């Protein structure tokens, strides 16, 4: 019987929501792994709405759940309705929406607050010893909620200009967590906490390498489940 996995989105679009390629890659690899997936997002207003053509904010107001429904093809539920007991694992794709809508990392850094339903979801899966998968910027959620955990966002130095957000690794260390350097096609497994992370678009790499890295994360999550 396939594993039951919850996928949590943060909107639709890299600059103000979930990174579309990461969400799609996770769904493809979960499908390949025979998982039964249900998709969730918090029913809240986005912190901002970005014109992705111009890369600048607009005056629009959008809802995270409504925007996430675009990626879910309409088949989505309010995160408040997620019950950890009904699933074997949970996965969070990345994108700026994670740092803007699921928490306030984009504005407050290590002093950020995490959305109450995001925090309670993470804590419920962790308490039940069920695996948590995170990619791109999403590992900061674990770093904030689970002090002492191990995660990766790629490298802690901007190697060959491929890791422009390498300072995130230092911020994770400031929170009392261990950052583990990994390449884009790899993931890290914190066995004690059952947290699996991969850097995805935190690395400037060909799309297929990012896709493969997310695949390793999904595979490890399904193994732990």
């Amino acid at each position: 019987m396939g594993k039951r996995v919850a996928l949590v989105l943060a909107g639709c679009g890299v600059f103000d929501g979930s990174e579309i390629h990461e969400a799609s890659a996770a769904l493809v690899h979960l499908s390949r792994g025979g998982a039964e997936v249900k998709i969730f997002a918090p029913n809240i207003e986005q912190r901002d709405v970005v014109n992705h053509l111009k890369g600048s904010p607009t005056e629009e107001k959008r809802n995270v759940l409504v925007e996430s429904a675009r990626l879910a093809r309409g088949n989505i539920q309010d995160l408040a309705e997620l019950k950890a007991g009904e699933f074997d694992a949970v996965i969070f794709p990345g994108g700026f929406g994670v740092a803007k809508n699921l928490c306030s990392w984009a504005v407050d850094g290590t002093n950020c607050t995490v959305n109450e339903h995001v925090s309670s979801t993470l804590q419920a899966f962790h308490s039940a010893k069920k695996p948590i998968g995170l990619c791109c910027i999403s590992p900061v959620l674990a770093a904030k909620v689970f002090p002492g955990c191990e995660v990766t966002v790629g490298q802690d130095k901007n190697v060959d200009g491929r890791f422009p957000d390498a300072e995130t690794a230092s911020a994770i260390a400031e929170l009392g967590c261990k950052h583990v350097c990994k390449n884009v096609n790899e993931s890290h497994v914190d066995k004690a906490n059952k947290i699996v992370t991969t850097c995805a678009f935190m690395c400037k790499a060909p799309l297929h390498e990012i896709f493969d890295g997310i695949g390793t994360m999904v595979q490890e999550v399904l193994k732990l489940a």
Side-chain angles (χ1 to χ4, degrees), residues 149-156 169 172-173 177-182:
C149 71
E150 298 178 0
V151 298
T152 188
V153 289
Q155 300 290 321
D156 55 10
I172 286 168
C177 299
K178 180 180 180 180
H179 179 268
V180 181
C181 292
K182 291 286 183 177

Side-chain angles (χ1 to χ4, degrees), residues 163-176:
F163 294 89
D165 302 305
E167 70 276 3
T168 305
S170 299
I172 286 168
E174 287 177 25
L175 289 171

Side-chain angles (χ1 to χ4, degrees), residues 42-62:
N43 187 10
I44 57 174
E45 187 175 294
Q46 289 185 190
R47 178 175 288 275
D48 63 12
V49 177
V50 176
N51 179 324
H52 280 58
L53 182 61
K54 296 180 178 179
S56 57
T58 72
E59 296 300 317
E60 290 181 68
K61 301 293 183 185
R62 296 192 185 186

Side-chain angles (χ1 to χ4, degrees), residues 97-161:
V98 171
K100 292 179 175 180
N101 305 325
L102 302 193
C103 71
S104 63
W105 185 276
V107 176
D108 302 319
T110 55
N111 294 318
C112 73
T113 55
V114 179
N115 172 274
E116 60 175 320
H117 295 302
V118 173
S119 180
S120 62
T121 294
L122 288 167
Q123 290 172 341
F125 277 85
H126 188 258
S127 295
K129 300 189 185 312
K130 294 179 177 181
I132 298 167
L134 307 126
C135 65
C136 195
I137 192 63
S138 292
V140 301
L141 296 173
K144 189 67 181 181
V145 176
F146 307 119
C149 71
E150 298 178 0
V151 298
T152 188
V153 289
Q155 300 290 321
D156 55 10
K157 295 181 178 61
N158 189 8
V159 182
D160 298 327

